Amino acid sequence: MTTSEQPGTQRQRSRLGAQLLPGGRETRFRAWSTRAGRMCVRIGGESHVMEPRPGAYFETVLPVGAGTRYCFELDGQALPDPYARFMPHGVHGDSEVVDFSEYEWRHPDWTGRELAECVFYELHVGTFTPEGTYRAAQERLPELVDLGVTAIQMMPVAAFPGERGWGYDGVALFAPFAPYGRPEDLMAFVDAAHGLGLAVFLDVVYNHFGPDGNYLTSYSPSYFTDRFHTAWGQGLDYAEPHMRRYVTGNARMWLQDYRFDGLRLDATASMQDDSEEHILHELARETHALGGRHILLAEDHRNLPELVTETGLDGIWVDDFHHEVRVTLTEEQEGYYGGFRGGARELSEVINRGWQYQGQFWNVTGEEHHRGKPATGLEAPSFVYCIQNHDQVGNRALGDRLHHFESVTLAEYRGASTLLLSLPMTPLLFQGQEWAASTPFPFFSDHAGELGQMVTEGRQREFAYFSGFSTLNVPDPQAAGTFESAKLNWAERGEGEHGRTLALYRHLLRLRREDPVLRERSRRFIRAGAVDTGAGEALWVRWETQQGVRVLLWNLTHTPLTPGLLALPFALPPEVLLHSEGDLHAPAALGELHLSPGEAALLAGPVEA
């Protein structure tokens, strides 16, 4: 590629695989291989020679259109196309030529949402509905709008082996997973969400490839490197231009061709890069250069504000908030929970700082080091908080949710939910959380034979510090029944305590959207603290803006408390806005308000003179 070529030409030439040409009657097949001396594209049993080009490229144009099935032959060996846009028969089968212009978008004027407007709902397509398809999930979108969420966070859909899985072992990153539906079905899902005012984000994995079906090394070993290693295998070599373009081109495809509003980047701490420009910085730069409101979020446990302030990402999934809530309610101390003490005072520190660790020593066995930096330069929307997500549920031995834990009451669960949804930080819900779903979310995959056994054993080793993996009857990840057990039971959502929890979530999200104080998205308006009740500590969070004062109280003691008797450093506002266990439409007066263990209340009043 010459330096005189325009950037747009470089992007065009870097698109490997099958590219439908204008008019739709011809397709350019292009591949790059440092291993092959001769390459062909095979269609319908007939092999067509690809002309060699400088730089180890091979190319041909054939009179075939969308829907054509093909594979490549490297020195006579038939191999799948790792750049395939669709693989209808799985990652080991033929690829299909896709016409991205064929889908007619119904909402082309959608402009996206600011991160400050987002309330995320994380869903797994295969278990979100009984059918486990994009089309079935699309039918449920109005119910999410009614709930009050504003953004879908879709777990990975890049093609992975088998018929079921979480999606984090993807190997053909440009091809949507066929059992969920066709590419146009995914487009229709995104389009329908936009029509309802929902932004749609996609979880992408750019730190490793799955153990089965990764054919990149068959084309060239230089995609990967021994300079870096991850917990899941050999490191990606982002210094190799083709691997770099594989990742940046993939991000551009999801954002442009499928019109996703943003991406959640999995395990960015494992995206090691010694290039002059780190791959994360390039991803942020290219994403924001697309225009619109495209957003990039990092899953990163390191508590590094420079991921936003310097690298250019928009937000970070913050582990510390989840872990402090979890330890507060369960008193667990195994594994990484050993780095957290829980309780009202610790929770208030997380809220005031944004995260807990800002340079303190992280004294967890095998990971002893100083962790984090102060987050004073980050505003509230850049912190994505949750009390559940796919990892924190699914990486437990049984896939049990927070409210399934034997010592956690529904009052405590709803109190934690009240805290999450009233803070100005960006909240994330995990599917079914809003009605305290009875269904678990265990780990499941579909790896055959010895590989399946190896994956199961590797998972047990990875989480050996959680005693449940050795003492409990852990569901077999390879069993179809494990996958089936994770499918949400939508029929229960209106029943009993499920319905009561759902009503609270709807009410909280309405307050978050409409209350003139709670809808502010700045950390400068809030502070948090703990008050000693004589029988333990309660958490308080106080907002003060020009529109008024709000106070949240969460009883984390084991005895009832009366808000008016607490020795708080401020006067309580007079109006009860919400009581997590009370009548949502007619809350008690402040003088009559009593909080049993686990219960929370939101109080409202004017700005103090």
Side-chain angles (χ1 to χ4, degrees), residues 289-462:
L290 295 175
R293 294 178 177 173
H294 296 112
I295 292 170
L296 291 183
L297 303 173
E299 183 212 14
D300 203 299
H301 66 280
R302 296 174 295 176
N303 292 4
L304 299 178
E306 60 263 33
L307 287 171
V308 175
T309 59
E310 298 176 15
T311 303
L313 304 180
D314 298 286
I316 303 170
W317 278 32
V318 177
D319 283 346
D320 290 12
F321 178 80
H322 169 274
H323 295 348
E324 288 289 14
V325 170
R326 178 104 202 173
V327 173
T328 296
L329 298 183
T330 68
E331 299 183 350
E332 292 175 277
Q333 287 290 283
E334 291 186 319
Y336 45 73
Y337 293 131
F340 300 89
R341 290 180 292 177
R345 198 163 302 277
E346 301 296 309
L347 277 170
S348 68
E349 289 179 352
V350 171
I351 294 166
N352 289 330
R353 297 170 179 172
W355 46 50
Q356 182 65 275
Y357 281 84
Q358 50 181 2
Q360 306 96 304
F361 193 71
W362 173 251
N363 192 23
V364 174
T365 302
E367 300 181 20
E368 298 86 350
H369 58 84
H370 290 278
R371 174 173 173 244
K373 296 179 183 179
T376 52
L378 300 186
E379 259 297 9
S382 291
F383 299 88
V384 179
Y385 279 7
C386 73
I387 60 171
Q388 294 186 111
N389 63 35
H390 75 276
D391 269 334
Q392 304 306 335
V393 176
N395 285 337
R396 298 182 62 77
L398 302 180
D400 50 316
R401 296 169 180 262
L402 176 60
H403 61 279
H404 294 161
F405 195 85
E406 57 187 10
S407 67
V408 176
T409 67
L410 280 172
E412 290 174 322
Y413 176 73
R414 289 190 279 253
S417 302
T418 302
L419 175 65
L420 171 69
L421 296 181
S422 58
L423 291 173
M425 290 72 167
T426 302
L428 176 136
L429 315 182
F430 180 61
Q431 61 178 38
Q433 171 180 331
E434 71 274 22
W435 75 77
S438 65
T439 48
F441 189 76
F443 178 74
F444 50 85
S445 58
D446 187 22
H447 296 294
E450 184 179 356
L451 178 58
Q453 183 63 31
M454 290 172 62
V455 169
T456 299
E457 293 172 354
R459 179 173 171 76
Q460 291 173 335
R461 287 193 300 272
E462 182 179 359

Side-chain angles (χ1 to χ4, degrees), residues 1 32-34 53-57 242:
M1 188 177 298
W32 176 74
S33 175
T34 59
R53 296 283 190 267
Y57 292 99
H242 292 85

Side-chain angles (χ1 to χ4, degrees), residues 344 529-540 551-568 572 579-580 588-603:
V531 58
D532 191 343
T533 69
E537 291 184 327
L539 174 73
W540 59 262
V551 171
L552 177 141
L553 297 173
W554 187 15
N555 183 3
L556 295 175
T557 75
H558 295 291
T559 60
L561 63 82
T562 301
L565 300 180
L566 296 176
L568 294 162
L572 284 178
H579 176 198
S580 61
L590 180 59
E592 302 172 352
L593 179 64
H594 302 282
L595 298 180
S596 295
E599 296 183 1
L602 275 167
L603 310 179

